Amino acid sequence: MSSMTFGQKTFTPTPPEKGSFPLDHEGRCKSSMLRYMICLQEKNNDNSQCRKEAKDYLNCRMENYLMAKEEWSKLGFSEVDVNAEESNKK
Amino acid sequence: MAAKLLNFFVTGTRKNFLKQYLIPPARNYSQRQTENSGWKQRQHRAKSTLYYVSAAGVLAVGMSYAAVPLYRIFCQAYSYGGTTGTVTDEKSIEKLQKKDRIIKVRFNADIGASMQWNFKPQQTEINVVPGETALAFYTAENPTDRPVIGISTYNVVPFEAGQYFNKIQCFCFEEQMLNPHEQVDMPVFFYIDPEFTEDPKMELVDTLTLSYTFFEARQGLKLPVPTFAKH
């Protein structure tokens, strides 16, 4: 199907930078995921306001060995997000 | 002898035209020098022309063979036509600047014809800012009684925006197995390159659509996986 686009520009998919997420067969991070989805629904699908929940989900993955541990800055979570979360916890 | 053959093959005015190149003039001792040198000059010129033309032909054929790798290098260097360059530096994620423009990313899920999974996105859209990493979820369920292995690929529409869509981690291009009656959440962690805002072609683009398709992994199934895909 994609080989019949003669002369048209074809889309070349690229692999993800950190590879593939291992599947969460046991559903260990399902609660974090549900919290993230609820946040998205409440904030009208705005990603900027749900950074904390996204960070929680990735944290859950890292702790359950479903994701390689990375520094938050390498994943795009700046110091501002980390500090905001800590101040919220207090 | 050659003259007779030529007379047989060539007709009319062409005969006289070709004769001056092909048939050496008869040896006439009184005019030998001037006529012979004239003929030799013509023959020399004819040979030179022939050599030049055949060299041009060989050059054209050689260029058409060389163009294939050259074009590929050019496309990779300048990201022409949607090809992305080589793997981006990991540190560049740390230095991403957030822009102000809000882009809506819609999510779409498809399955192959013989695939029996239930595959759908958990959210229809997310409003993302270029330079900010975002998380999205898809859910897949295996309703059958046997384990099924799937492999997925993705697509981004509009075409030219695809080069700005960078995935940090996802579930594509690797085989994923689902046990019978199992349901899993599959996350996609991505960001849109901040250079998106500087591209004049993207000025009117406000919506991106990310579309995943799952196929059943079988022997000999070939997906358009890039050659440098990590496995």
Side-chain angles (χ1 to χ4, degrees):
Chain A
M1 156 184 81
S2 56
S3 57
M4 290 183 203
T5 55
F6 178 71
Q8 295 174 19
K9 293 182 270 194
T10 49
F11 178 80
T12 318
T14 51
E17 287 173 19
K18 290 191 172 35
S20 175
F21 274 124
L23 282 189
D24 184 11
H25 286 280
E26 283 118 47
R28 282 176 260 181
C29 294
K30 196 163 175 91
S31 50
S32 306
M33 176 223 142
L34 285 172
R35 252 173 274 155
Y36 178 71
M37 296 312 311
I38 291 170
C39 168
L40 275 187
Q41 279 179 354
E42 281 172 5
K43 304 278 163 68
N44 201 21
N45 291 325
D46 190 2
N47 175 53
S48 315
Q49 297 184 36
C50 289
R51 305 279 284 157
K52 183 180 164 306
E53 279 77 7
K55 195 161 160 300
D56 283 341
Y57 178 78
L58 294 173
N59 207 16
C60 167
R61 273 217 162 223
M62 282 189 208
E63 275 166 21
N64 285 311
Y65 304 108
L66 290 168
M67 183 172 161
K69 293 215 174 189
E70 287 275 358
E71 290 175 13
W72 290 120
S73 56
K74 289 228 173 85
L75 293 172
F77 291 99
S78 59
E79 289 299 313
V80 176
D81 293 325
V82 177
N83 289 338
E85 187 195 331
E86 286 178 2
S87 64
N88 275 343
K89 275 187 186 167
K90 289 171 197 165
Chain B
M1 175 62 182
K4 276 189 195 164
L5 274 176
L6 233 91
N7 271 327
F8 183 73
F9 284 117
V10 178
T11 57
T13 52
R14 277 189 291 169
K15 218 196 281 188
N16 291 326
F17 179 69
L18 285 175
K19 260 190 194 171
Q20 62 176 331
Y21 290 104
L22 295 169
I23 306 176
R27 298 235 169 172
N28 187 347
Y29 287 103
S30 60
Q31 292 173 313
R32 184 173 78 185
Q33 283 187 345
T34 48
E35 277 191 9
N36 272 347
S37 66
W39 173 73
K40 273 191 185 153
Q41 255 185 19
R42 281 198 299 273
Q43 206 192 34
H44 178 72
R45 259 185 279 138
K47 269 191 191 165
S48 307
T49 315
L50 183 67
Y51 288 145
Y52 277 124
V53 167
S54 53
V58 170
L59 182 72
V61 172
M63 283 296 290
S64 60
Y65 274 104
V68 174
L70 283 178
Y71 191 62
R72 196 182 304 139
I73 293 170
F74 169 75
C75 282
Q76 277 203 349
Y78 293 102
S79 299
Y80 184 73
T83 38
T84 53
T86 46
V87 181
T88 54
D89 198 5
E90 268 203 12
K91 289 184 193 157
S92 66
I93 300 179
E94 289 174 325
K95 295 178 200 157
L96 282 183
Q97 315 160 354
K98 284 188 215 182
K99 303 284 177 172
D100 286 330
R101 208 167 130 187
I102 295 183
I103 311 279
K104 191 183 288 191
V105 181
R106 301 180 68 90
F107 299 94
N108 184 36
D110 279 318
I111 46 175
S114 60
M115 183 56 151
Q116 288 160 313
W117 284 5
N118 297 332
F119 181 55
K120 61 178 175 51
Q122 285 285 68
Q123 67 283 307
T124 47
E125 57 191 30
I126 288 187
N127 297 329
V128 173
V129 160
E132 198 176 49
T133 50
L135 187 62
F137 287 96
Y138 282 83
T139 306
E141 193 205 335
N142 180 6
T144 63
D145 289 327
R146 56 182 179 87
V148 175
I149 303 177
I151 188 165
S152 68
T153 182
Y154 78 99
N155 196 0
V156 178
V157 179
F159 178 80
E160 288 87 1
Q163 55 180 317
Y164 296 107
F165 189 84
N166 299 323
K167 294 192 311 302
I168 300 173
Q169 206 161 1
C170 71
F171 52 89
C172 40
F173 302 124
E174 287 199 11
E175 291 180 353
Q176 314 282 1
M177 188 179 84
L178 275 186
N179 294 318
H181 303 287
E182 190 183 3
Q183 187 190 47
V184 280
D185 307 312
M186 295 170 161
V188 181
F189 196 45
F190 65 94
Y191 67 94
I192 297 179
D193 202 320
E195 288 183 358
F196 182 89
T197 46
E198 277 141 46
D199 191 344
K201 278 190 271 186
M202 298 290 120
E203 205 179 312
L204 297 171
V205 172
D206 277 325
T207 309
L208 259 63
T209 304
L210 173 66
S211 180
Y212 270 94
T213 309
F214 251 105
F215 298 97
E216 188 169 348
R218 270 193 308 265
Q219 300 287 340
L221 177 69
K222 285 216 166 92
L223 280 185
V225 179
T227 50
F228 44 86
K230 304 171 206 167
H231 273 293

Tab-separated table of all heavy atoms in Angstrom, chain A residues 37-75:
chain	number	residue	atom	x	y	z
A	37	MET	N	-5.057	10.327	33.452
A	37	MET	CA	-6.170	10.497	32.514
A	37	MET	C	-7.232	11.407	33.112
A	37	MET	O	-7.824	12.236	32.429
A	37	MET	CB	-6.798	9.139	32.166
A	37	MET	CG	-5.911	8.159	31.444
A	37	MET	SD	-4.970	8.742	30.028
A	37	MET	CE	-6.156	9.572	29.071
A	38	ILE	N	-7.479	11.241	34.436
A	38	ILE	CA	-8.483	12.096	35.077
A	38	ILE	C	-8.028	13.546	35.033
A	38	ILE	O	-8.815	14.460	34.775
A	38	ILE	CB	-8.724	11.628	36.533
A	38	ILE	CG1	-9.422	10.269	36.523
A	38	ILE	CG2	-9.542	12.647	37.286
A	38	ILE	CD1	-9.479	9.621	37.874
A	39	CYS	N	-6.722	13.745	35.291
A	39	CYS	CA	-6.191	15.115	35.234
A	39	CYS	C	-6.395	15.704	33.852
A	39	CYS	O	-6.818	16.847	33.708
A	39	CYS	CB	-4.695	15.091	35.587
A	39	CYS	SG	-3.847	16.634	35.229
A	40	LEU	N	-6.121	14.915	32.825
A	40	LEU	CA	-6.286	15.425	31.467
A	40	LEU	C	-7.732	15.802	31.198
A	40	LEU	O	-8.020	16.832	30.587
A	40	LEU	CB	-5.860	14.369	30.439
A	40	LEU	CG	-4.400	14.269	30.052
A	40	LEU	CD1	-4.239	13.284	28.923
A	40	LEU	CD2	-3.847	15.606	29.622
A	41	GLN	N	-8.637	14.976	31.663
A	41	GLN	CA	-10.047	15.276	31.404
A	41	GLN	C	-10.474	16.534	32.127
A	41	GLN	O	-11.247	17.328	31.603
A	41	GLN	CB	-10.915	14.098	31.836
A	41	GLN	CG	-10.938	13.013	30.791
A	41	GLN	CD	-11.771	11.821	31.218
A	41	GLN	OE1	-12.242	11.757	32.355
A	41	GLN	NE2	-11.922	10.891	30.321
A	42	GLU	N	-9.935	16.702	33.354
A	42	GLU	CA	-10.347	17.891	34.110
A	42	GLU	C	-9.766	19.156	33.525
A	42	GLU	O	-10.406	20.199	33.510
A	42	GLU	CB	-9.876	17.753	35.563
A	42	GLU	CG	-10.746	16.849	36.389
A	42	GLU	CD	-10.114	16.600	37.740
A	42	GLU	OE1	-9.060	17.224	38.018
A	42	GLU	OE2	-10.660	15.808	38.498
A	43	LYS	N	-8.514	19.060	33.073
A	43	LYS	CA	-7.841	20.268	32.591
A	43	LYS	C	-8.015	20.439	31.092
A	43	LYS	O	-7.228	21.105	30.459
A	43	LYS	CB	-6.341	20.196	32.933
A	43	LYS	CG	-6.035	19.982	34.390
A	43	LYS	CD	-6.098	21.272	35.158
A	43	LYS	CE	-6.212	21.040	36.636
A	43	LYS	NZ	-5.065	20.464	37.279
A	44	ASN	N	-9.007	19.798	30.559
A	44	ASN	CA	-9.341	20.009	29.148
A	44	ASN	C	-8.189	19.608	28.227
A	44	ASN	O	-7.837	20.347	27.313
A	44	ASN	CB	-9.724	21.481	28.934
A	44	ASN	CG	-10.535	21.640	27.674
A	44	ASN	OD1	-11.129	20.687	27.190
A	44	ASN	ND2	-10.526	22.843	27.112
A	45	ASN	N	-7.609	18.444	28.513
A	45	ASN	CA	-6.571	17.875	27.644
A	45	ASN	C	-5.352	18.778	27.505
A	45	ASN	O	-4.707	18.805	26.459
A	45	ASN	CB	-7.112	17.575	26.238
A	45	ASN	CG	-8.088	16.430	26.255
A	45	ASN	OD1	-7.928	15.491	27.016
A	45	ASN	ND2	-9.103	16.513	25.428
A	46	ASP	N	-5.036	19.518	28.546
A	46	ASP	CA	-3.881	20.398	28.465
A	46	ASP	C	-2.675	19.692	29.070
A	46	ASP	O	-2.675	19.373	30.264
A	46	ASP	CB	-4.179	21.682	29.236
A	46	ASP	CG	-3.117	22.726	29.000
A	46	ASP	OD1	-2.183	22.466	28.227
A	46	ASP	OD2	-3.219	23.799	29.590
A	47	ASN	N	-1.652	19.470	28.288
A	47	ASN	CA	-0.504	18.722	28.782
A	47	ASN	C	0.288	19.505	29.822
A	47	ASN	O	0.800	18.935	30.772
A	47	ASN	CB	0.409	18.387	27.601
A	47	ASN	CG	1.679	17.721	28.025
A	47	ASN	OD1	1.668	16.729	28.727
A	47	ASN	ND2	2.797	18.283	27.638
A	48	SER	N	0.369	20.823	29.668
A	48	SER	CA	1.221	21.622	30.556
A	48	SER	C	0.763	21.542	31.995
A	48	SER	O	1.561	21.677	32.912
A	48	SER	CB	1.222	23.080	30.119
A	48	SER	OG	1.375	23.155	28.741
A	49	GLN	N	-0.539	21.295	32.221
A	49	GLN	CA	-1.030	21.288	33.587
A	49	GLN	C	-0.986	19.915	34.216
A	49	GLN	O	-1.289	19.763	35.384
A	49	GLN	CB	-2.465	21.810	33.608
A	49	GLN	CG	-2.529	23.259	33.148
A	49	GLN	CD	-3.920	23.792	33.258
A	49	GLN	OE1	-4.630	23.438	34.182
A	49	GLN	NE2	-4.306	24.616	32.310
A	50	CYS	N	-0.651	18.924	33.449
A	50	CYS	CA	-0.669	17.573	33.993
A	50	CYS	C	0.726	16.982	34.062
A	50	CYS	O	0.888	15.773	34.011
A	50	CYS	CB	-1.571	16.675	33.156
A	50	CYS	SG	-3.301	17.070	33.361
A	51	ARG	N	1.714	17.833	34.167
A	51	ARG	CA	3.094	17.349	34.165
A	51	ARG	C	3.354	16.510	35.403
A	51	ARG	O	4.091	15.540	35.371
A	51	ARG	CB	4.053	18.535	34.150
A	51	ARG	CG	3.815	19.482	33.021
A	51	ARG	CD	4.417	18.996	31.757
A	51	ARG	NE	5.842	19.174	31.755
A	51	ARG	CZ	6.687	18.470	31.011
A	51	ARG	NH1	6.239	17.543	30.218
A	51	ARG	NH2	7.968	18.697	31.064
A	52	LYS	N	2.750	16.899	36.494
A	52	LYS	CA	3.018	16.210	37.750
A	52	LYS	C	2.543	14.766	37.668
A	52	LYS	O	3.242	13.846	38.076
A	52	LYS	CB	2.310	16.963	38.886
A	52	LYS	CG	2.563	16.380	40.249
A	52	LYS	CD	1.838	17.163	41.310
A	52	LYS	CE	1.753	16.380	42.595
A	52	LYS	NZ	1.158	15.051	42.421
A	53	GLU	N	1.355	14.575	37.134
A	53	GLU	CA	0.824	13.217	37.038
A	53	GLU	C	1.631	12.384	36.048
A	53	GLU	O	1.840	11.182	36.254
A	53	GLU	CB	-0.651	13.232	36.591
A	53	GLU	CG	-1.622	13.523	37.721
A	53	GLU	CD	-1.646	14.986	38.080
A	53	GLU	OE1	-1.000	15.777	37.352
A	53	GLU	OE2	-2.312	15.359	39.050
A	54	ALA	N	2.105	13.047	34.986
A	54	ALA	CA	2.935	12.318	34.017
A	54	ALA	C	4.227	11.875	34.685
A	54	ALA	O	4.700	10.745	34.507
A	54	ALA	CB	3.237	13.213	32.813
A	55	LYS	N	4.762	12.762	35.490
A	55	LYS	CA	5.991	12.447	36.210
A	55	LYS	C	5.762	11.302	37.198
A	55	LYS	O	6.596	10.422	37.358
A	55	LYS	CB	6.462	13.704	36.941
A	55	LYS	CG	7.865	13.650	37.418
A	55	LYS	CD	8.341	15.069	37.681
A	55	LYS	CE	9.544	15.052	38.596
A	55	LYS	NZ	9.286	14.437	39.882
A	56	ASP	N	4.602	11.316	37.830
A	56	ASP	CA	4.277	10.219	38.754
A	56	ASP	C	4.213	8.888	38.030
A	56	ASP	O	4.685	7.864	38.540
A	56	ASP	CB	2.908	10.465	39.417
A	56	ASP	CG	3.016	11.510	40.507
A	56	ASP	OD1	4.157	11.739	40.975
A	56	ASP	OD2	1.992	12.083	40.872
A	57	TYR	N	3.627	8.912	36.862
A	57	TYR	CA	3.517	7.658	36.116
A	57	TYR	C	4.889	7.141	35.729
A	57	TYR	O	5.186	5.948	35.861
A	57	TYR	CB	2.660	7.865	34.868
A	57	TYR	CG	2.544	6.613	34.034
A	57	TYR	CD1	1.688	5.583	34.411
A	57	TYR	CD2	3.323	6.430	32.907
A	57	TYR	CE1	1.603	4.416	33.676
A	57	TYR	CE2	3.250	5.274	32.163
A	57	TYR	CZ	2.390	4.268	32.551
A	57	TYR	OH	2.317	3.115	31.828
A	58	LEU	N	5.734	8.035	35.237
A	58	LEU	CA	7.066	7.600	34.829
A	58	LEU	C	7.874	7.143	36.035
A	58	LEU	O	8.660	6.196	35.967
A	58	LEU	CB	7.785	8.734	34.090
A	58	LEU	CG	7.145	9.092	32.757
A	58	LEU	CD1	7.804	10.328	32.167
A	58	LEU	CD2	7.285	7.959	31.765
A	59	ASN	N	7.656	7.782	37.164
A	59	ASN	CA	8.305	7.384	38.388
A	59	ASN	C	7.896	5.957	38.777
A	59	ASN	O	8.717	5.136	39.176
A	59	ASN	CB	7.915	8.355	39.501
A	59	ASN	CG	8.956	8.429	40.560
A	59	ASN	OD1	10.081	8.002	40.350
A	59	ASN	ND2	8.579	8.943	41.710
A	60	CYS	N	6.599	5.702	38.661
A	60	CYS	CA	6.074	4.370	38.975
A	60	CYS	C	6.732	3.339	38.067
A	60	CYS	O	7.124	2.262	38.508
A	60	CYS	CB	4.556	4.372	38.773
A	60	CYS	SG	3.814	2.741	38.761
A	61	ARG	N	6.845	3.673	36.800
A	61	ARG	CA	7.477	2.744	35.847
A	61	ARG	C	8.917	2.474	36.209
A	61	ARG	O	9.375	1.342	36.181
A	61	ARG	CB	7.409	3.336	34.445
A	61	ARG	CG	6.136	3.001	33.766
A	61	ARG	CD	6.314	2.737	32.295
A	61	ARG	NE	5.153	2.028	31.803
A	61	ARG	CZ	5.191	1.007	30.979
A	61	ARG	NH1	6.336	0.572	30.540
A	61	ARG	NH2	4.084	0.422	30.597
A	62	MET	N	9.613	3.530	36.574
A	62	MET	CA	11.040	3.363	36.900
A	62	MET	C	11.201	2.500	38.128
A	62	MET	O	12.119	1.679	38.206
A	62	MET	CB	11.676	4.723	37.150
A	62	MET	CG	11.977	5.480	35.889
A	62	MET	SD	12.935	6.916	36.302
A	62	MET	CE	12.485	7.986	35.009
A	63	GLU	N	10.294	2.698	39.106
A	63	GLU	CA	10.453	1.932	40.344
A	63	GLU	C	10.081	0.477	40.191
A	63	GLU	O	10.568	-0.379	40.924
A	63	GLU	CB	9.616	2.556	41.445
A	63	GLU	CG	10.386	3.673	42.087
A	63	GLU	CD	9.537	4.541	42.935
A	63	GLU	OE1	8.461	4.081	43.345
A	63	GLU	OE2	9.955	5.677	43.166
A	64	ASN	N	9.219	0.194	39.250
A	64	ASN	CA	8.823	-1.194	39.025
A	64	ASN	C	9.625	-1.842	37.920
A	64	ASN	O	9.209	-2.859	37.371
A	64	ASN	CB	7.334	-1.243	38.675
A	64	ASN	CG	6.488	-1.022	39.894
A	64	ASN	OD1	6.701	-1.652	40.911
A	64	ASN	ND2	5.527	-0.114	39.793
A	65	TYR	N	10.726	-1.276	37.616
A	65	TYR	CA	11.634	-1.808	36.593
A	65	TYR	C	10.976	-1.942	35.230
A	65	TYR	O	11.300	-2.834	34.459
A	65	TYR	CB	12.217	-3.162	37.017
A	65	TYR	CG	12.918	-3.076	38.338
A	65	TYR	CD1	12.354	-3.644	39.467
A	65	TYR	CD2	14.121	-2.403	38.445
A	65	TYR	CE1	12.991	-3.556	40.685
A	65	TYR	CE2	14.756	-2.310	39.660
A	65	TYR	CZ	14.189	-2.883	40.786
A	65	TYR	OH	14.813	-2.791	41.990
A	66	LEU	N	10.036	-1.064	34.952
A	66	LEU	CA	9.433	-1.105	33.630
A	66	LEU	C	10.035	-0.045	32.734
A	66	LEU	O	9.593	0.183	31.634
A	66	LEU	CB	7.916	-0.873	33.742
A	66	LEU	CG	7.151	-2.012	34.388
A	66	LEU	CD1	5.741	-1.577	34.711
A	66	LEU	CD2	7.128	-3.227	33.485
A	67	MET	N	11.015	0.653	33.259
A	67	MET	CA	11.617	1.717	32.460
A	67	MET	C	12.997	1.971	33.029
A	67	MET	O	13.188	1.888	34.243
A	67	MET	CB	10.774	2.976	32.599
A	67	MET	CG	11.243	4.143	31.760
A	67	MET	SD	10.040	5.442	31.848
A	67	MET	CE	10.967	6.822	31.336
A	68	ALA	N	13.943	2.263	32.183
A	68	ALA	CA	15.294	2.544	32.666
A	68	ALA	C	15.297	3.854	33.436
A	68	ALA	O	14.647	4.818	33.032
A	68	ALA	CB	16.241	2.646	31.474
A	69	LYS	N	16.019	3.873	34.540
A	69	LYS	CA	16.030	5.094	35.359
A	69	LYS	C	16.794	6.194	34.660
A	69	LYS	O	17.894	5.989	34.174
A	69	LYS	CB	16.689	4.809	36.717
A	69	LYS	CG	15.880	3.871	37.548
A	69	LYS	CD	15.960	4.181	39.017
A	69	LYS	CE	14.985	3.253	39.726
A	69	LYS	NZ	14.767	3.530	41.100
A	70	GLU	N	16.169	7.363	34.633
A	70	GLU	CA	16.787	8.504	33.980
A	70	GLU	C	16.634	9.702	34.873
A	70	GLU	O	15.680	9.781	35.633
A	70	GLU	CB	16.062	8.803	32.656
A	70	GLU	CG	16.329	7.831	31.549
A	70	GLU	CD	17.582	8.149	30.784
A	70	GLU	OE1	18.232	9.162	31.094
A	70	GLU	OE2	17.909	7.380	29.890
A	71	GLU	N	17.529	10.645	34.705
A	71	GLU	CA	17.341	11.902	35.430
A	71	GLU	C	16.150	12.635	34.833
A	71	GLU	O	15.898	12.554	33.638
A	71	GLU	CB	18.582	12.773	35.268
A	71	GLU	CG	19.762	12.224	36.002
A	71	GLU	CD	20.975	13.070	35.701
A	71	GLU	OE1	20.802	14.170	35.143
A	71	GLU	OE2	22.065	12.617	36.006
A	72	TRP	N	15.471	13.393	35.673
A	72	TRP	CA	14.278	14.076	35.185
A	72	TRP	C	14.597	15.087	34.103
A	72	TRP	O	13.803	15.322	33.197
A	72	TRP	CB	13.551	14.773	36.349
A	72	TRP	CG	12.915	13.795	37.270
A	72	TRP	CD1	13.168	13.623	38.587
A	72	TRP	CD2	11.939	12.818	36.934
A	72	TRP	NE1	12.394	12.625	39.094
A	72	TRP	CE2	11.640	12.095	38.120
A	72	TRP	CE3	11.272	12.464	35.756
A	72	TRP	CZ2	10.705	11.071	38.159
A	72	TRP	CZ3	10.345	11.436	35.796
A	72	TRP	CH2	10.072	10.750	36.990
A	73	SER	N	15.779	15.691	34.195
A	73	SER	CA	16.091	16.689	33.171
A	73	SER	C	16.245	16.046	31.809
A	73	SER	O	15.909	16.636	30.785
A	73	SER	CB	17.373	17.434	33.540
A	73	SER	OG	18.411	16.498	33.723
A	74	LYS	N	16.704	14.782	31.800
A	74	LYS	CA	16.863	14.117	30.508
A	74	LYS	C	15.535	13.747	29.902
A	74	LYS	O	15.428	13.433	28.729
A	74	LYS	CB	17.703	12.840	30.665
A	74	LYS	CG	19.149	13.096	30.944
A	74	LYS	CD	20.044	12.260	30.028
A	74	LYS	CE	21.480	12.652	30.200
A	74	LYS	NZ	22.115	11.953	31.339
A	75	LEU	N	14.496	13.730	30.710
A	75	LEU	CA	13.184	13.389	30.186
A	75	LEU	C	12.361	14.632	29.929
A	75	LEU	O	11.186	14.545	29.635
A	75	LEU	CB	12.437	12.481	31.184
A	75	LEU	CG	13.068	11.110	31.350
A	75	LEU	CD1	12.405	10.366	32.475
A	75	LEU	CD2	12.947	10.313	30.071
